[in-house]
Amino acid sequence: VQLQASGGGLVQAGGSLRLSCAASGSIFSINDMGWYRQAPGKQRDMVAVVTRGGNTNYVDSVKGRFTISRDNAKNTVYLQMNSVKPEDTAVYYCNAIVTTLQVPLATRNYWGQGTLVTVSS
């Protein structure tokens, strides 16, 4: 299973950016999908998570500004980032809990390669 993230880049404060992450491979099903971020010198933290049924959870600092969504038919998760701030600058990683097509079925955590988001002031 591979997670391919895209959409990062340089954006001015107050602007918008949309991240995408597509999962591919021998996928039976995908449970939670999410976005995490890691700023220089800091640990990786959860930004937003969406369940297969569409329930969402956000870190307080992005509530009202970021929106996570997913397309189950495309095995893809999105992060719409609005009103970005310089403190949103980080490498963003997508994450998915995937059950793979094998016997017996196996479920594990997968990470994308990370995409850099830089917000200028």
Side-chain angles (χ1 to χ4, degrees):
V1 174
Q2 292 186 332
L3 270 61
Q4 182 67 46
S6 61
L10 176 64
V11 60
Q12 287 190 331
S16 297
L17 210 59
R18 190 191 194 208
L19 306 183
S20 300
C21 177
S24 62
S26 298
I27 297 170
F28 177 75
S29 67
I30 303 179
N31 300 320
D32 292 357
M33 302 185 81
W35 290 95
Y36 292 69
R37 65 186 179 188
Q38 187 167 19
K42 296 188 176 181
Q43 67 181 21
R44 188 178 301 185
D45 292 323
M46 186 272 288
V47 177
V49 173
V50 57
T51 68
R52 183 170 181 82
N55 293 320
T56 58
N57 188 34
Y58 298 90
V59 66
D60 286 345
S61 60
V62 308
K63 286 180 180 178
R65 300 189 298 121
F66 292 7
T67 301
I68 189 170
S69 61
R70 63 189 283 174
D71 185 332
N72 290 332
K74 296 181 179 180
N75 292 332
T76 300
V77 62
Y78 307 94
L79 186 68
Q80 179 66 43
M81 306 168 62
N82 297 331
S83 303
V84 295
K85 304 175 180 180
E87 51 263 43
D88 294 321
T89 295
V91 177
Y92 284 71
Y93 297 90
C94 59
N95 173 270
I97 300 174
V98 180
T99 299
T100 52
L101 280 167
Q102 61 187 77
V103 180
L105 295 176
T107 299
R108 55 159 286 191
N109 213 13
Y110 290 87
W111 292 93
Q113 83 283 9
T115 184
L116 177 62
V117 173
T118 303
V119 182
S120 62
S121 57

